[in-house]
DNA sequence: TCTGGGGTCCTAGGACCC
DNA sequence: TCTGGGGTCCTAGGACCC
């Protein structure tokens, strides 16, 4: 069973506005959730059904969405609210099954086979939880049911909102094969274009392909995507998938950066966030990467693997700065990102000949005290002087 | 005032080892 | 009278998902 919130960010904002005494429901008007254009964050993050009907799509610039609908209402995102709504939904669902795989902020899978004895027929159960979410939390979801995760997820998208759909194995031919190729999970823009050029337009077309022929164009992926088209998927529902393999923090800056000093300031603040969250999870990173996007929208990255994993702000910052110096080609920069990868739960510190252990321990001790104070008294009682002054300069 | 941010997985090519 | 084969690890880039 796959559960997916209809237009999540927009629905959640709609509920919030109504709770605060708002008079009308933005789900029924030409509305989108969109970033701040003056900060160059101006894209559509979620759209209402009426907005969808005039051709507005997620990810497109607000500029172009407004051309399609001049009276469009744009609401800012509120990620704190979204996390809260998301948690409430997953908490509600956990009442029924501990085996929930959280797939994203607004989606999850439930292995219903494991609880079917308790709750009976899956279709009536799907209606029950769908309605319970609507009645207690105020937003609607779609529920898809299938013999595996792939089919359940494809079923969720059949028609929206507030619907339950099935895609059992015996329904694949009739319900899934006529769909255009890009409705298949795993076939994105690039692969659709390639397949359509080859005359493969529907999921059914792909399911009939000869893997040997297709491997000329898709290498090892050919077998995999033909299986998807046949509705074959053996992946398990994994509850508490828990810890991520890497974490990243990136930002598009309101204006292009042209000096090292400006970029260093951004890197410092990105690293500060990342290292704090790594320490909160008591984890350490082996790989540090810097990601840049220039004014032509060209992205590039540079990474390094450390001898010893770390969650020390200063060490990560110095490394990220060095990576930046090594890779920057002097083109004005639009986006700066830092990524920490190969995360581990503990470190076996290998002491190099030249470093002082005492100094390291002192430093990480200081950082945990700062983390604790920030946690106790609000997120930024204690900040680096450099971060503080950079904010003032901007004002 | 055109184009976000956070993830996962795969591939190609190079370095290195035996 | 020139240059194998198999394997691992690492990096950069890209496709895809939300």
């Amino acid at each position: 069973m796959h559960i997916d919130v209809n237009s999540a960010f927009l629905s959640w904002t709609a509920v919030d506005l109504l709770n605060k005494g708002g008079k009308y429901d933005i789900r029924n008007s030409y509305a989108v959730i969109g970033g701040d254009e003056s900060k160059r964050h101006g894209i559509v993050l979620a759209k209402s059904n009426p907005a969808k009907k005039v051709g507005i799509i997620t990810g497109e610039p607000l500029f172009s969405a407004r051309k399609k609908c001049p009276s469009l209402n744009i609401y800012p995102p509120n990620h704190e609210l979204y996390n809260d709504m998301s948690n409430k939904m997953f908490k509600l669902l956990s009442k029924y099954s501990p085996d929930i795989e959280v797939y994203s902020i607004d989606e999850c899978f439930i292995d219903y086979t494991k609880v079917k004895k308790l709750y009976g027929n899956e279709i009536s159960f799907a209606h029950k939880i769908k309605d319970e979410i609507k009645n207690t939390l105020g937003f609607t979801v779609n529920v898809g049911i299938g013999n595996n995760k792939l089919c359940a997820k494809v079923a969720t998208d059949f028609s929206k909102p507030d619907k339950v759909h099935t895609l059992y194995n015996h329904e694949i031919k009739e319900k899934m094969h006529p769909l255009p190729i890009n409705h298949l999970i795993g076939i994105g823009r690039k692969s659709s274009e390639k397949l359509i050029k080859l005359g493969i337009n529907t999921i059914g077309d792909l399911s009939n392909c000869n893997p040997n022929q297709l491997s000329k164009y898709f290498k090892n992926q050919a077998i995999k995507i033909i299986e998807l088209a046949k509705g074959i998927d053996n992946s398990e529902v994994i509850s508490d998938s828990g810890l991520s393999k890497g974490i990243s923090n990136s930002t598009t800056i309101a204006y292009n950066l042209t000096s090292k000093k400006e970029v260093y300031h951004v890197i410092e603040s990105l690293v500060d966030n990342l290292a704090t969250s790594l320490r909160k999870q008591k984890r350490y990173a082996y790989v540090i990467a810097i990601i840049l996007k220039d004014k032509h929208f060209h992205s590039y990255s540079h990474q390094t693997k450390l001898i010893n994993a770390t969650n020390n702000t200063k060490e990560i910052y110095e490394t990220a700065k060095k990576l930046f110096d090594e890779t920057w080609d002097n083109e004005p920069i639009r986006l700066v990102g830092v990524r920490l990868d190969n995360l581990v739960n503990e470190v076996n510190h290998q002491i190099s000949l030249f470093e002082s252990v005492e100094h390291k321990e002192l430093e990480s001790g200081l950082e945990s005290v700062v983390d604790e104070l920030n946690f106790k008294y609000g997120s930024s009682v204690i900040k680096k002087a450099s971060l503080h002054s950079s904010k003032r300069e901007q004002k």
Side-chain angles (χ1 to χ4, degrees), chain A residues 57-313:
Chain A
I57 55 173
T58 302
E60 82 172 309
L62 293 176
F63 180 81
S64 106
R66 221 185 283 103
K67 272 200 278 191
K68 293 174 183 171
C69 175
S71 66
L72 190 66
N73 287 312
I74 301 168
Y75 297 85
N78 178 351
H79 292 281
E80 218 172 300
L81 169 75
Y82 305 153
N83 283 323
D84 182 47
M85 292 291 210
S86 169
N87 288 335
K88 282 182 173 145
M89 179 174 81
F90 293 134
K91 198 175 163 202
L92 187 157
L93 293 170
S94 315
K95 282 194 308 190
Y96 297 102
S97 169
D99 293 309
I100 293 180
E101 177 174 336
V102 174
Y103 186 73
S104 75
I105 191 162
D106 73 320
E107 270 177 66
C108 65
F109 292 96
I110 294 181
D111 187 347
Y112 193 67
T113 313
K114 292 187 177 165
V115 289
K116 184 162 178 169
K117 268 188 228 153
L118 288 172
Y119 306 115
N121 178 275
E122 59 273 16
I123 299 175
S124 15
F125 178 79
H127 277 99
K128 176 182 148 75
I129 54 170
K130 171 181 87 62
D131 294 338
E132 184 176 344
I133 290 171
K134 183 165 62 173
N135 295 332
T136 61
L137 301 176
F139 56 88
T140 62
V141 300
N142 262 35
V143 184
I145 299 169
N147 296 100
N148 58 43
K149 283 162 68 178
L150 172 72
C151 291
K153 189 159 162 56
V154 170
T156 307
D157 279 329
F158 282 160
S159 69
K160 294 173 174 180
D162 201 19
K163 294 254 169 47
V164 173
H165 297 289
T166 62
L167 178 56
Y168 297 116
N169 285 345
H170 67 86
E171 298 175 303
I172 286 172
K173 211 166 187 167
E174 166 211 346
K175 289 188 178 178
M176 182 163 95
H177 281 174
L179 296 174
I181 195 72
N182 62 339
H183 281 48
L184 193 55
I185 313 303
I187 304 296
R189 193 172 57 87
K190 292 281 180 182
S191 301
S192 307
E193 281 172 12
K194 256 163 93 178
L195 288 164
I196 288 167
K197 266 188 196 153
L198 294 167
I200 300 161
N201 296 299
T202 65
I203 299 180
D205 292 344
L206 180 57
S207 75
N208 289 323
C209 277
N210 177 337
N212 291 327
Q213 300 246 295
L214 206 61
S215 64
K216 263 186 273 180
Y217 308 94
F218 287 88
K219 303 279 168 67
N220 294 333
Q221 295 304 302
I223 295 171
K224 176 77 187 160
I225 63 175
I226 293 171
E227 279 198 342
L228 293 177
K230 289 178 170 164
I232 299 170
D233 168 28
N234 295 316
S235 64
E236 300 265 334
V237 173
I238 301 164
S239 50
D240 112 287
S241 49
L243 299 171
S244 63
K245 307 197 164 170
I247 55 173
S248 70
N249 195 192
S250 64
T251 184
T252 292
I253 302 110
Y255 51 93
N256 293 333
L257 303 183
T258 51
S259 76
K260 280 192 176 184
K261 199 183 149 199
E262 293 172 302
V263 179
Y264 287 168
H265 270 123
V266 179
I267 293 177
E268 186 168 21
S269 123
L270 297 171
V271 167
D272 199 45
N273 291 335
L274 286 172
T276 306
S277 96
L278 211 52
R279 289 196 294 272
K280 209 178 277 174
Q281 302 175 38
K282 297 201 189 323
R283 295 209 291 169
Y284 307 82
Y286 269 109
V287 174
I288 298 176
I290 183 104
I291 298 113
L292 302 171
K293 190 193 283 182
D294 67 24
K295 63 173 184 182
H296 309 295
F297 269 76
H298 171 247
S299 294
Y300 55 108
S301 66
H302 187 39
Q303 70 178 57
T304 190
K305 187 169 183 180
L306 306 172
I307 310 280
N308 296 299
T310 185
N311 60 19
N312 177 281
T313 303

Side-chain angles (χ1 to χ4, degrees), chain A residues 363-374:
Chain A
E363 219 168 61
S364 63
L366 173 63
E367 284 182 350
S368 32
V369 170
V370 172
D371 287 344
E372 215 166 290
L373 288 171
N374 281 333

Side-chain angles (χ1 to χ4, degrees), chain A residues 347-379:
Chain A
V347 269
N348 293 321
H349 198 100
Q350 251 184 56
I351 300 154
S352 106
L353 285 174
F354 307 104
E355 72 186 326
S356 137
V357 184
E358 290 82 10
H359 184 233
K360 277 218 149 151
E361 279 172 358
L362 212 61
E363 219 168 61
S364 63
L366 173 63
E367 284 182 350
S368 32
V369 170
V370 172
D371 287 344
E372 215 166 290
L373 288 171
N374 281 333
F375 182 72
K376 252 189 188 160
Y377 302 106
S379 73

